[in-house]
Amino acid sequence: EAQVTQNPRYLITVTGKKLTVTCSQNMNHEYMSWYRQDPGLGLRQIYYSMNVEVTDKGDVPEGYKVSRKEKRNFPLILESPSPNQTSLYFCASSLLGRDRDTEAFFGQGTRLTVV
Amino acid sequence: DAKTTQPTSMDCAEGRAANLPCNHSTISGNEYVYWYRQIHSQGPQYIIHGLKNNETNEMASLIITEDRKSSTLILPHATLRDTAVYYCIVRVDGGANNLFFGTGTRLTVIP
C-alpha cells in the first residue's frame, strides 16, 4: 500500500530538548516536504527536498532542520524546541512538480507539544 | 497559483449527493483544478484533479465549467465518513510543493 509514515503520532517534550520526527515513503517519490498546521494559519511549508542530498527552505524554516540521505526518508529535526513550535506537523511526498498529473500523499500527522 | 473561493460550510444528508462549488475566475490556461480533503486533523487526502474535461474516479466527480472559472466536486452518495474540510486548489503543477490549502469548505454529512 502506498503510504507516508510519520513517527511519532503524538509527542510532548520540554523546551530545548532535541527531537526528531521521522518520515518515510514507499512510493519512490523524489519530492518530500514538511508542513505545519496551526489554527487560522492553514498549512505552511517548513522545508522541502527534491531529491537525495537536495533540501531547501520553505516558508517557515526557522528552528528546524532536515536531511535527505536516502530517497525514502526525510526526518524533521528540532535542535532546541520552543513552545511556539507546538503544532500539528505533516510530511508529504510526490513525484516532482513538473509531473502535472501527480498528487501529493500526506502522512497521518504528528501532534507536537513543547512545554 | 490562482485564487479560489469556496463556501465556508455546507451540510448534506447521508446518502445524498454532496455538491461542493469552487470559484477560480482568474485561472490560467495551464492551471489544473485539484481537490483535497482533510478529515479532522488527519493528513490531507487527494481526491481528484482536472484541466478542462470533467473527471470521475472512485471517490468523486469533478465538473469544470466550459470557461474554467468555476468547478464543482460531487460526492455521489455522501456517508458520515465524508465529513471533512474540502479544499479546492488551482495550480500549474501537481505534487507536494508548497500547496496552499486556504480555508476550504467544511462539509458535514448528517444522518
Side-chain angles (χ1 to χ4, degrees):
Chain A
E1 180 189 355
Q3 59 184 5
V4 178
T5 303
Q6 290 179 231
N7 280 297
R9 293 289 309 279
Y10 303 91
L11 179 59
I12 301 174
T13 190
V14 296
T15 299
K17 185 176 180 182
K18 180 180 178 180
L19 67 90
T20 299
V21 183
T22 64
C23 174
S24 180
Q25 50 94 4
N26 63 0
M27 296 165 279
N28 202 36
H29 285 161
E30 295 90 357
Y31 192 96
M32 297 186 74
S33 62
W34 277 102
Y35 290 82
R36 61 178 289 174
Q37 186 173 31
D38 303 289
L41 296 176
L43 274 84
R44 294 178 292 169
Q45 191 172 43
I46 303 170
Y47 266 95
Y48 64 93
S49 168
M50 297 179 74
N51 216 324
V52 174
E53 302 293 358
V54 180
T55 64
D56 209 342
K57 297 177 180 179
D59 297 323
V60 288
E62 294 76 22
Y64 304 94
K65 286 175 58 177
V66 293
S67 69
R68 189 93 181 270
K69 295 188 172 70
E70 304 165 288
K71 197 171 187 179
R72 64 183 294 126
N73 295 324
F74 190 46
L76 179 70
I77 303 157
L78 284 72
E79 294 271 1
S80 182
S82 63
N84 65 10
Q85 292 178 298
T86 292
S87 186
L88 180 58
Y89 291 86
F90 292 104
C91 180
S93 78
S94 69
L95 298 172
L96 286 176
R98 61 173 175 264
D99 298 303
R100 296 181 180 183
D101 279 332
T102 191
E103 63 190 83
F105 291 80
F106 284 81
Q108 284 301 95
T110 296
R111 187 169 292 281
L112 172 65
T113 302
V114 183
V115 298
Chain B
D1 298 349
K3 178 180 167 57
T4 63
T5 304
Q6 300 177 251
T8 303
S9 64
M10 295 180 64
D11 292 340
C12 178
E14 188 178 16
R16 304 296 293 269
N19 296 280
L20 292 91
C22 179
N23 287 321
H24 31 79
S25 58
T26 60
I27 191 171
S28 300
N30 60 349
E31 288 183 309
Y32 285 71
V33 180
Y34 278 81
W35 283 83
Y36 284 81
R37 72 179 182 184
Q38 187 173 23
I39 298 172
H40 184 60
S41 295
Q42 294 181 20
Q45 177 188 25
Y46 165 83
I47 301 172
I48 199 167
H49 75 282
L51 182 63
K52 297 179 183 177
N53 300 321
N54 299 337
E55 303 287 345
T56 295
N57 63 19
E58 65 278 3
M59 287 182 68
S61 295
L62 174 61
I63 308 298
I64 303 174
T65 58
E66 194 168 340
D67 63 7
R68 303 211 322 124
K69 293 185 177 182
S70 67
S71 60
T72 301
L73 178 75
I74 301 171
L75 307 178
H77 305 287
T79 71
L80 299 179
R81 286 177 292 184
D82 292 322
T83 292
V85 180
Y86 287 77
Y87 299 97
C88 170
I89 302 169
V90 174
R91 293 170 63 91
V92 171
D93 53 31
N97 180 26
N98 213 8
L99 285 164
F100 178 71
F101 280 82
T103 54
T105 297
R106 182 172 297 277
L107 174 69
T108 302
V109 180
I110 303 168

